[in-house]
């Protein structure tokens, strides 16, 4: 990332060590610079529960990862050049399921239950996932066991991951797996196959359609809630942390916008359009290099300024409990990701946010996740406990928008030098920019 590490040079490798002791669930990885993600640089991550920690559903017969996403005929270099020259991404040419435009197959046996881990690894479009004549029981979202609601289809926004259970309880034949884009003037659709081991015939009948109403997606999103009695990564119930009773120490309101800088397309947050510095921000902190970035370069509240360039960094105190409101005044769905954190999605509604909007917050069983959607001309509010010291990226998951400036960094800071709060810089850390000493 621009914030923490230097890019890995061509032809080289880098070993990144991390602990996952306090996480479980379904995620995916991808390169965060340039357009390598568009070239297929991604894959699923499964973090299993410890053997003695109970899981709120029986072990499935098998566990499948499904990476769905929009696809472009142009290669990643051409797409990047288009943005560098001031343009926008074109409409996608198709949708892929595990890298295939059609023919992706899941093999199942009658009477058994399977876990599907579904991630939207695309660049810009929300997608709807469904299986002909089968329902899906939602069990986990980005590390949180959920209330086990049953859905006939599931909206998966860019960057999001879900786990569902399906049971092979239909007549023995093949069934369509369907993925189509949502909230777009033109609808792209791709299909795969759910194949019963004793199938009596190929897929047949009409392809099941997706919901068309925005209200349907809103209602589904509100129905995704934390299972308060289930264990998380540790044996204690997920609901033992009463986020709704913690005093909020700060409210940050972020409004996305579009504009031009020097005649080229740019995107911003509170009017600030992110431009990377010549040195990763965390390295600048560690080596005490002045002038790489400026705290307060982005406002924590929306402004009426025209869009402007900035290396956007917000200062925050370690252990603060923060309310962040994302307000989307545009006509497209936004998707936001916060590196290094999970957060509680306490509310989302049409219109503009005001302090009175807190009356509709879910302060009991809001889902905890790391990527959340903001619907057109709507707002989404999250609560987050800043318990992870560092320089953390808060960005749009729409690749065009984050690449052209719709992102910022939050510097979660403490004066403590205790290893309890933050580890030392890795001994194999790559250095670049002004962090390279002569």
């Amino acid at each position: 990332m621009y914030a923490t590490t230097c890019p890995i040079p061509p032809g080289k490798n880098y070993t990144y060590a991390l602990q996952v002791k306090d996480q479980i669930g379904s995620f995916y990885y991808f390169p965060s610079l340039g357009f390598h993600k568009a070239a297929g640089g991604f894959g699923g991550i499964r973090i299993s529960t410890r053997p003695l920690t109970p899981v709120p559903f029986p072990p499935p017969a098998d566990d499948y990862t499904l990476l769905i996403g929009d696809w472009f005929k142009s290669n990643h270099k051409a797409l990047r050049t288009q943005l560098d020259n001031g343009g926008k991404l074109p409409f996608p040419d198709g949708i892929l399921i595990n890298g295939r435009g059609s023919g992706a197959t899941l093999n199942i046996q009658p009477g058994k239950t399977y876990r599907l881990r579904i991630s939207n690894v695309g660049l810009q479009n929300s997608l709807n996932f469904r299986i002909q004549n089968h329902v899906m029981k939602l069990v986990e979202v980005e590390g949180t066991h959920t209330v086990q609601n049953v859905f006939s289809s599931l909206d998966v926004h860019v960057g999001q991951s879900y786990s569902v259970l399906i049971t092979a309880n239909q007549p023995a034949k093949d069934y369509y797996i369907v993925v189509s884009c949502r909230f777009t003037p033109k609808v792209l659709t791709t299909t795969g196959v759910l194949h019963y081991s004793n199938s009596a015939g190929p897929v047949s009948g009409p392809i099941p359609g997706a919901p068309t109403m925005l209200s349907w997606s809103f209602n589904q999103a509100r129905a995704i809630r934390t299972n308060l009695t289930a264990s998380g990564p540790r044996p204690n119930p997920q609901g033992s942390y009463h986020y709704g009773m913690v005093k909020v120490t700060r409210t940050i309101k972020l409004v996305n916008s579009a504009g031009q800088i020097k005649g080229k397309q740019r995107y911003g947050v509170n009017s600030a359009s992110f431009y990377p510095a010549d040195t990763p921000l965390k390295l600048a902190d560690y080596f005490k290099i002045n002038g790489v970035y400026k705290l307060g370069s982005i406002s924590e509240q929306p402004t009426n300024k025209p869009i402007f360039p900035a290396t956007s960094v917000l200062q925050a105190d370690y252990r603060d409990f923060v309310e962040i409101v994302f307000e989307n005044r545009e006509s497209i769905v936004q998707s936001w990701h916060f590196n290094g954190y999970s957060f509680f999605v306490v509310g989302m509604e049409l219109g503009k946010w005001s302090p009175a909007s807190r009356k509709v917050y879910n302060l009991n069983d809001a889902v905890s996740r790391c990527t959340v959607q903001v619907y057109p001309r709507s707002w989404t509010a999250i609560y987050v406990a800043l318990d992870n010291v560092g320089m953390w990226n808060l960005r749009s998951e729409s690749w065009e928008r984050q690449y052209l400036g719709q992102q910022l960094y939050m510097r979660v800071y403490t004066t403590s030098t205790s290893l309890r709060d933050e580890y030392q810089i890795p001994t194999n850390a790559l250095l670049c920019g002004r962090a390279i000493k002569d």
Side-chain angles (χ1 to χ4, degrees):
M1 292 300 298
Y2 298 114
T4 52
T5 60
C6 301
I8 303 168
K12 304 294 183 180
N13 60 61
Y14 181 76
T15 300
Y16 181 70
L18 71 158
Q19 288 188 327
V20 294
K21 65 179 183 179
D22 288 324
Q23 286 183 293
I24 57 166
S26 310
F27 307 89
Y28 73 99
Y29 64 86
F30 57 93
S32 52
L33 297 181
F35 260 73
H36 296 103
K37 184 183 181 188
F42 49 75
I45 296 177
R46 304 175 182 178
I47 306 177
S48 300
T49 304
R50 294 174 178 180
L52 298 180
T53 303
V55 174
F57 50 87
D62 210 339
D63 193 325
Y64 292 108
T65 294
L66 293 171
L67 305 178
I68 60 176
D70 45 29
W71 173 77
F72 300 81
K73 290 181 180 178
S74 300
N75 68 34
H76 68 287
K77 294 180 179 179
L79 293 174
R80 181 175 182 175
T81 298
Q82 192 159 336
L83 297 189
D84 289 340
N85 290 338
K88 298 182 178 182
L89 288 182
F91 190 74
D93 295 294
I95 296 171
L96 303 183
I97 304 173
N98 285 352
R100 303 188 65 172
S102 62
T105 301
L106 296 183
N107 296 306
I108 60 175
Q109 297 183 23
K112 294 188 176 182
T113 297
Y114 296 82
R115 182 174 185 171
L116 309 183
R117 301 176 190 257
I118 308 161
S119 295
N120 184 339
V121 299
L123 297 187
Q124 65 182 24
N125 287 115
S126 300
L127 300 174
N128 182 269
F129 180 92
R130 54 204 183 272
I131 301 176
Q132 184 184 27
N133 291 7
H134 290 72
V135 295
M136 300 174 285
K137 180 184 289 185
L138 183 66
V139 294
E140 179 256 329
V141 173
E142 294 161 20
T144 298
H145 292 304
T146 61
V147 173
Q148 294 181 7
N149 291 317
V150 174
F151 299 108
S152 58
S153 71
L154 189 64
D155 276 354
V156 187
H157 304 278
V158 182
Q160 293 184 337
S161 297
Y162 292 88
S163 274
V164 301
L165 300 178
I166 63 165
T167 299
N169 56 6
Q170 297 298 305
K173 61 184 291 291
D174 289 355
Y175 296 89
Y176 286 113
I177 299 170
V178 189
V179 182
S180 59
C181 57
R182 289 275 272 143
F183 315 112
T184 54
K186 178 183 176 182
V187 177
L188 297 175
T189 301
T190 193
T191 60
V193 176
L194 185 72
H195 173 72
Y196 278 63
S197 60
N198 60 340
S199 174
V203 291
S204 60
I207 295 173
T212 57
M213 301 296 290
L214 179 64
S215 58
W216 184 94
S217 194
F218 254 116
N219 290 334
Q220 182 175 77
R222 295 189 189 104
I224 298 172
R225 310 188 315 277
T226 295
N227 183 339
L228 297 179
T229 61
S231 297
R234 298 174 182 269
N236 52 301
Q238 293 179 140
S240 60
Y241 180 76
H242 300 292
Y243 70 93
M245 300 174 66
V246 181
K247 182 180 179 180
V248 172
T249 56
R250 183 179 180 185
T251 296
I252 298 170
K253 185 178 179 182
L254 303 176
V255 175
N256 49 274
S257 60
Q260 289 197 338
I261 296 177
K262 296 182 179 179
K264 292 186 176 182
Q265 180 67 51
R266 296 293 300 183
Y267 300 98
V269 186
N270 291 354
S271 300
S273 184
F274 182 86
Y275 282 78
D278 60 7
T279 304
L281 309 180
K282 186 61 183 175
L283 292 183
D285 261 4
Y286 182 80
F287 291 112
K288 297 180 172 56
I289 304 169
N290 294 322
V292 174
Y293 68 89
K294 180 183 178 182
L295 291 174
S297 50
I298 177 174
S299 171
E300 65 178 47
Q301 298 295 324
T303 72
N304 294 320
K305 298 178 181 178
I307 199 166
F308 64 90
T311 301
S312 312
V313 180
L314 270 178
Q315 173 83 328
D317 292 332
Y318 180 45
R319 299 194 186 281
D320 269 1
F321 191 76
V322 177
E323 174 187 45
I324 301 177
V325 178
F326 301 101
E327 192 170 281
N328 178 16
R329 299 174 183 175
E330 299 181 65
S331 59
I332 62 172
V333 177
Q334 302 285 333
S335 188
W336 287 90
H337 175 81
F338 197 1
N339 267 9
Y341 283 96
S342 290
F343 46 74
F344 295 95
V345 184
V346 294
M348 55 176 66
E349 293 286 343
L350 283 167
K352 293 185 177 181
W353 182 91
S354 72
S357 302
R358 297 187 178 111
K359 294 178 182 178
V360 302
Y361 280 9
N362 176 358
L363 300 181
N364 181 48
D365 60 356
V367 71
S368 176
R369 64 186 313 168
C370 57
T371 306
V372 69
Q373 72 273 24
V374 190
Y375 291 104
R377 297 184 175 88
S378 303
W379 58 265
T380 294
I382 66 173
Y383 281 176
V384 56
L386 299 181
D387 56 4
N388 197 2
V389 175
M391 188 76 72
W392 301 109
N393 191 215
L394 181 55
R395 66 172 182 268
S396 170
E397 283 292 274
S398 166
W399 214 248
E400 172 186 316
R401 297 185 76 100
Q402 71 84 23
Y403 183 78
L404 294 179
Q406 191 177 314
Q407 59 173 303
L408 61 107
Y409 284 87
M410 187 173 289
R411 182 185 188 238
V412 180
Y413 180 73
T414 177
T415 56
S416 169
T417 57
S418 171
L419 294 179
R420 177 197 62 190
D421 299 326
E422 185 178 27
Y423 289 135
Q424 294 287 346
I425 188 171
T427 56
N428 66 336
L430 300 173
L431 302 181
C432 56
R434 284 184 259 176
I436 298 176
K437 293 181 172 58
D438 296 330

